[in-house]
Amino acid sequence: GSVWVPYSDTAYCKAAKLEEKDGKIKVKREPDGKEKEYKADDVEPQNPPKFELLEDMANMSFLSEAAVVYNLGERYRKFLIYTYSGLFCVTVNPYKMLPVYEPHIVGCYQNKRKTEMPPHLWSVADNAYNDMLRNRENQSMLITGESGAGKTVNTKKVIAYFATVAALGGGEKKTDDKGSLEDQIVAANPAMEAYGNAKTIRNDNSSRFGKFIRIHFGSNGKLSSGDIDTYLLEKSRVTFQVKT
């Protein structure tokens, strides 16, 4: 059968299983055609071809690190940067702006079940919004990951989604001097980033602090206000200011 085995160049590679005896498995590796023996614990079965580019990794027949990395990698090569893993939405940062955030796409995810549309951050946001209206309970979205994973951008896109679907109960935005709530929250970012962001090896504009953003809605689902708490900003994480 087809299996995954450890491979120094790419962490894992595909291989064909030849024989198994004494707790060892002999395989033929796909990249270089070499026959090698591995401990049985190091060999993981591959998923059938029907699971290629799988949208929800919780549905895999064989769930392993190799299978997850491969599925995310194959989707990423096709610029499918969002993939579900059960209740989670996994994002792979493409380091470029893709047309997945165009305004008309907002409407595609409104009032849709998770399975009705391709994986997207906005599906998670829309389900949270509708659960809030249906159950009359506060909802939370946790955006987490290592430096450069795309947390700051994804947070801005969540706010943009809520502003579009909930501003004045429709797609309209406020047109007063202060601008929309979304604009105000995003406009607060440069001030916070000036004090709390730093350039790192992984990220030119890395947030060195956490943000807790509350968005308040009226009983009819209209946006009413928002506030931002910052925390975990340690001076040692922002060492000096770059001379301009």
Side-chain angles (χ1 to χ4, degrees), residues 103-113 116-118 122 161:
H104 69 273
I105 295 176
V106 170
C108 300
Y109 283 88
Q110 269 185 276
N111 303 313
K112 294 280 186 12
R113 285 194 297 273
E116 285 184 83
M117 291 293 293
W122 285 348
Y161 186 84

Side-chain angles (χ1 to χ4, degrees), residues 13-218:
C13 73
K14 291 182 176 181
K17 186 175 174 181
L18 299 176
E19 60 178 353
E20 182 174 357
K21 62 178 179 180
D22 303 328
K24 295 277 185 79
I25 297 176
K26 190 176 182 182
V27 304
K28 184 175 182 180
R29 294 195 308 211
E30 199 173 277
D32 54 14
K34 287 184 179 176
E35 293 186 6
K36 299 255 310 187
E37 272 192 349
Y38 294 91
K39 287 188 290 186
D41 290 347
D42 291 337
V43 178
E44 296 281 356
Q46 280 184 46
N47 285 290
K50 70 175 183 178
F51 291 106
E52 286 288 309
L53 302 174
L54 194 63
E55 291 188 341
D56 189 344
M57 295 185 292
N59 295 330
M60 285 180 174
S61 292
F62 305 111
L63 187 60
S64 64
E65 187 175 315
V68 167
V69 169
Y70 171 75
N71 191 63
L72 289 173
E74 288 301 294
R75 287 180 64 80
Y76 176 76
R77 277 185 260 284
K78 291 183 165 42
F79 291 119
L80 301 169
I81 60 170
Y82 290 113
T83 308
Y84 294 134
S85 180
L87 295 174
F88 296 90
C89 180
V90 182
T91 310
V92 182
N93 191 348
Y95 291 98
K96 63 174 79 173
M97 291 309 291
L98 298 174
V100 294
Y101 306 117
E102 295 292 322
H104 69 273
I105 295 176
V106 170
C108 300
Y109 283 88
Q110 269 185 276
N111 303 313
K112 294 280 186 12
R113 285 194 297 273
K114 193 175 167 184
T115 51
E116 285 184 83
M117 291 293 293
H120 201 296
L121 177 76
W122 285 348
S123 178
V124 180
D126 192 74
N127 278 279
Y129 179 67
N130 284 306
D131 284 348
M132 176 194 70
L133 292 176
R134 193 181 305 112
N135 303 326
R136 298 290 162 180
E137 289 181 350
N138 293 334
Q139 304 290 316
S140 299
M141 289 180 66
L142 176 65
I143 299 175
T144 183
E146 61 180 46
S147 181
K151 298 183 291 296
T152 303
V153 169
N154 277 279
T155 300
K156 289 176 182 176
K157 297 304 177 189
V158 167
I159 294 165
Y161 186 84
F162 289 141
T164 306
V165 300
L168 303 176
E172 303 169 41
K173 290 189 175 184
K174 289 185 198 171
T175 54
D176 59 20
D177 293 339
K178 292 181 180 176
S180 70
L181 176 64
E182 178 220 347
D183 293 335
Q184 290 177 56
I185 293 174
V186 172
N189 265 321
M192 290 193 297
E193 290 176 3
Y195 287 102
N197 281 29
K199 184 173 181 176
T200 65
I201 297 168
R202 307 286 293 277
N203 186 353
D204 283 354
N205 187 36
S206 181
S207 304
R208 312 308 292 154
F209 63 102
K211 283 192 283 291
F212 183 60
I213 302 172
R214 283 190 207 89
I215 300 178
H216 305 277
F217 298 90

